């Protein structure tokens, strides 16, 4: 018998700019339909319209499926998103896992930023109305780890390790990788793993914009265009995704639907710069190599990569170099390479989980989504970015990349079951 246990994905839930259910999300991925729109970033200071990527239709009615109205007033949107995505993922899995040992059921929900909207509101309350008017719920609304905490409360039987990784835009990829390892090594039997983010406020746009990370395009169709020569930065998005990760034999015994297997996890640090990746791509390349090596695969076994693909000039160029380094130029040229952010924008700490859902539905449904909006080739980004539209193709092995400020690199390797 193998020393290690296999880990499979048996449930999915998503809140995103292109759909708040897995069916709609999948349809829009395949159609190459983005969720971008023009809005006022700085309503207090300017009437300028800029491109953003916001969750659509997440009204009180959706949130009230799992929260009392009074709870919503004291629950930041990151926790609302996380609970909704997680409960939908549990429903999709076909089990509430109440018959499992509760201490072998864990929750790993990441957030790169935390409850920044709550922080802003309560700081203004403090400054304008005084310390006595600051809400008693400020701290539990603001801190990111309350998202997995509230998910565990709502799920009911998840009393094992409860954890909120914080590694910027690699956060939820880390949560999936750490949950995968916990199940693989026998510490858990099942985990709710993913990420959540919501920071649509002028302060956040100003902070990212002033460091020239955001696109300056005012055309929603040409705003998030990963690997395109005219790319100028990312589109800020919000949302959440949760995946049910389960030990394979248990999943098979209960007749669970299986989307894919997580077979490998690679994590490195560039140790180079606070915000810029090492321009040689070595850290990202090593993360990919570690992921497919743990899966027991050769680089030539991989046939699809879901990139970090932010639409920033440096990231896309560096990630292209990393792919060539990890797979060799000959095989890299044969890989299908796309970016989900071409439709969702950049969901920061939630990005890795949302993109893992994208990989899972593509593997389950036999297609590769396009890199939407891609038109003008860049000589420094010369791989196959699936520019012509979705391809009907069975994916056997996939790698999904997530990179974060601080030099974090995470790669997850998925295989078809």
């Amino acid at each position: 018998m193998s020393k290690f246990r296999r880990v499979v994905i048996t449930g999915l839930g998503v809140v995103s700019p292109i759909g708040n259910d897995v069916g709609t999300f999948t349809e829009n991925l395949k159609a190459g339909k983005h969720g971008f729109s023009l809005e006022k970033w700085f309503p207090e200071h300017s009437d300028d319209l800029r491109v953003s990527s916001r969750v659509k239709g997440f009204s009180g009615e959706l949130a009230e499926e799992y929260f009392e109205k009074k709870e919503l007033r004291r629950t930041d949107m990151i926790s609302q998103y996380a609970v909704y995505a997680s409960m939908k993922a549990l429903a999709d899995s076909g089990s509430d896992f109440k018959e499992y040992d509760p201490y072998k059921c864990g929750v790993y929900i990441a957030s790169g930023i935390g409850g920044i909207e709550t922080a802003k509101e309560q700081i203004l309350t403090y400054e304008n109305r005084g310390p006595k008017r600051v809400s008693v719920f400020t701290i539990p609304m603001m801190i990111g780890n309350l998202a997995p905490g509230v998910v565990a409360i709502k799920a009911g039987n998840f009393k094992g390790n409860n954890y909120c990784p914080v590694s910027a835009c690699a956060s939820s990829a880390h949560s999936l990788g750490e949950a995968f390892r916990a199940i693989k090594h026998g510490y858990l039997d099942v985990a709710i793993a993913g990420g959540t983010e919501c920071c649509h406020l002028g302060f956040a746009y100003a902070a990212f914009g002033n460091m020239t990370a955001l696109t300056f395009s005012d055309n929603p169709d040409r705003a998030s265009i990963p690997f395109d020569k005219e790319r100028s930065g990312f589109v800020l998005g919000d949302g959440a995704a949760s995946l049910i990760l389960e030990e394979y034999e248990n999943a098979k015994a209960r007749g669970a639907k299986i989307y894919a297997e997580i077979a490998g996890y690679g994590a490195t640090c560039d140790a180079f710069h606070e915000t810029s990746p090492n321009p040689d791509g070595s850290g990202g390349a090593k993360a990919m190599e570690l992921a497919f090596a743990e899966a027991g695969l050769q680089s030539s076994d991989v046939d699809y990569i879901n990139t970090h693909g932010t639409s920033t000039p440096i990231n896309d160029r560096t990630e292209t170099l990393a792919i060539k380094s990890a797979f060799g130029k000959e095989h890299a040229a044969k890989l299908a390479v796309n970016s989900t952010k071409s439709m969702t924008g950049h969901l920061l700490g939630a990005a890795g989980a949302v993109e893992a859902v994208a990989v899972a539905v593509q593997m389950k449904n036999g297609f590769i989504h396009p890199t939407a909006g891609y038109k003008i080739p860049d000589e420094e980004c010369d791989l196959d970015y699936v520019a012509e539209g979705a391809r009907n193709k069975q994916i056997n092995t996939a790698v999904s990349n997530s990179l974060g400020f601080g030099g974090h690199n995470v790669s997850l390797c998925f295989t078809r079951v």
Side-chain angles (χ1 to χ4, degrees), residues 86-100:
S86 297
M87 298 306 288
K88 292 301 182 184
L90 280 172
D92 187 43
S93 77
S95 178
D96 57 13
F97 301 98
K98 294 282 177 67
E99 74 279 13
Y100 283 50

Side-chain angles (χ1 to χ4, degrees), residues 120-392:
K120 178 204 169 186
E121 290 170 3
Q122 295 305 313
I123 288 169
L124 289 175
T125 297
Y126 169 79
E127 291 181 343
N128 297 327
R129 303 176 67 190
K132 295 294 186 182
R133 303 308 297 268
V134 173
S135 171
V136 298
F137 300 110
T138 298
I139 299 303
M141 290 177 71
M142 186 176 70
I143 54 179
N145 68 291
L146 255 289
V150 175
V151 167
I153 292 167
K154 297 296 183 180
N157 197 51
F158 284 72
K159 297 182 179 182
N161 194 16
N162 191 286
Y163 185 39
C164 179
V166 179
S167 50
C169 305
S171 297
S172 57
H174 270 126
S175 73
L176 288 163
E178 295 302 316
F180 155 71
R181 289 266 175 84
I183 298 170
K184 176 179 177 177
H185 292 281
Y187 298 106
L188 296 176
D189 292 328
V190 63
I192 304 170
T196 183
E197 207 78 272
C198 185
C199 57
H200 276 289
L201 63 166
F203 166 75
Y205 283 109
F208 281 114
N210 289 347
M211 65 184 297
T212 68
L214 299 182
T215 181
F216 51 71
S217 172
D218 60 1
N219 178 358
D221 295 330
R222 295 287 292 162
S224 183
I225 48 173
F227 307 104
D228 189 292
K229 191 165 187 173
E230 293 186 349
R231 67 191 184 278
S232 60
F234 67 76
V235 174
L236 185 62
D238 67 333
S242 292
L243 296 84
I244 306 303
L245 307 189
E246 192 173 347
E247 191 274 323
Y248 172 67
E249 294 298 336
N250 287 347
K252 186 171 68 170
R254 70 178 185 86
K257 168 182 59 185
I258 294 174
Y259 286 93
E261 178 174 356
I262 298 183
Y265 165 44
T268 65
C269 179
D270 285 344
F272 174 77
H273 188 271
E274 290 91 341
T275 58
S276 293
N278 190 324
D280 68 6
S282 56
K286 186 63 175 179
M288 287 183 269
E289 291 166 6
L290 291 170
F292 59 70
E294 181 174 19
L297 301 169
Q298 301 297 316
S299 60
S300 57
D301 295 319
V302 177
D303 47 25
Y304 161 59
I305 299 180
N306 186 289
T307 64
H308 188 56
T310 58
S311 188
T312 58
I314 294 174
N315 175 91
D316 295 0
R317 179 173 65 248
T318 302
E319 192 170 8
T320 297
L321 285 174
I323 292 168
K324 290 178 181 178
S325 176
F327 293 93
K329 290 183 179 180
E330 184 177 347
H331 188 62
K334 299 176 183 177
L335 290 165
V337 177
N338 64 10
S339 172
T340 303
K341 292 181 182 71
S342 66
M343 289 169 274
T344 62
H346 196 346
L347 277 57
L348 306 179
V354 170
E355 288 153 21
V357 170
V359 171
V361 298
Q362 288 174 96
M363 295 186 83
K364 185 69 173 176
N365 294 287
F367 73 94
I368 300 175
H369 75 64
T371 298
Y374 179 95
K375 289 183 179 179
I376 301 175
D378 182 342
E379 58 273 11
E380 293 186 297
C381 299
D382 55 356
L383 300 177
D384 174 7
Y385 301 114
V386 195
E388 77 285 357
R391 294 177 191 167
N392 292 319

